[in-house]
Amino acid sequence: MKLPSSRSLGLLALCIAIPLIIGLIGSIFTMPEVGNWYAGLVKPFFNPPAWLFGPVWTLLYILMGISLWLVIRDGMSSRPVQQAVALFAVQLGLNLAWSLLFFGMHLIFVAFIEILILFAFIAATAFTFKKINPTAGWLFVPYLCWTAFASILTGTLWLLN
């Protein structure tokens, strides 16, 4: 088994850092509202404890970064890779937008519609990544599952509040 070069490891670190930074930016909208506005919402019985979200999202962002690295590590010159990276960027932007809409602006219904669009882009990214590198596609499955759950949770929060 060939070990990755230092250049490849640097690219891996960058690919992981990008989603983590987006998550950090999202937390600027999220953290102040968790103990205030969000705490006051009526929640469904299946609402996870607040402490669970940070570790789950950190893991998901790391998996996203590894997946991105698997897709771009051999270069960005092919059209399929460029399209995959564009989808990745869109879904990452939508991921950030959800935090702004839900926590920053308290627009639960708009966040619900937005997360459904996000789910579609995650699925498209996973499918596109899988065609380039099967492992990269599979690494998106936990994110897809969590977003499906978050979609149900967001929709339920809208209905209850």
Side-chain angles (χ1 to χ4, degrees):
M1 182 168 145
K2 183 178 146 189
L3 293 174
S5 68
S6 61
R7 180 180 177 275
S8 182
L9 290 175
L11 181 60
L12 173 60
L14 177 64
C15 288
I16 291 172
I18 291 168
L20 285 172
I21 290 168
I22 293 299
L24 182 64
I25 295 168
S27 74
I28 293 168
F29 304 110
T30 304
M31 294 308 294
E33 299 300 326
V34 170
N36 296 318
W37 172 77
Y38 186 74
L41 294 178
V42 177
K43 295 178 194 66
F45 70 92
F46 58 88
N47 192 76
W51 63 263
L52 184 64
F53 289 93
V56 167
W57 276 111
T58 300
L59 175 62
L60 294 174
Y61 288 133
I62 290 169
L63 293 176
M64 275 187 246
I66 294 169
S67 185
L68 176 62
W69 175 72
L70 289 171
V71 167
I72 68 169
R73 68 182 175 178
D74 293 329
M76 291 274 301
S77 60
S78 78
R79 184 87 172 130
V81 171
Q82 293 168 1
Q83 290 171 337
V85 171
L87 282 170
F88 181 88
V90 170
Q91 69 79 28
L92 200 55
L94 289 167
N95 180 297
L96 176 60
W98 184 89
S99 296
L100 172 63
L101 292 168
F102 186 85
F103 284 105
M105 301 173 78
H106 306 168
L107 298 172
I108 302 173
F109 179 71
V110 176
F112 175 60
I113 299 303
E114 194 272 355
I115 201 170
L116 297 176
I117 297 166
L118 170 60
F119 182 86
F121 272 91
I122 295 167
T125 304
F127 180 76
T128 305
F129 273 27
K130 189 174 185 292
K131 289 193 290 186
I132 297 165
N133 181 300
T135 302
W138 285 111
L139 286 173
F140 256 68
V141 170
Y143 179 31
L144 194 61
C145 291
W146 182 260
T147 304
F149 171 73
S151 298
I152 294 167
L153 180 59
T154 303
T156 305
L157 287 167
W158 171 66
L159 289 172
L160 293 173
N161 294 278

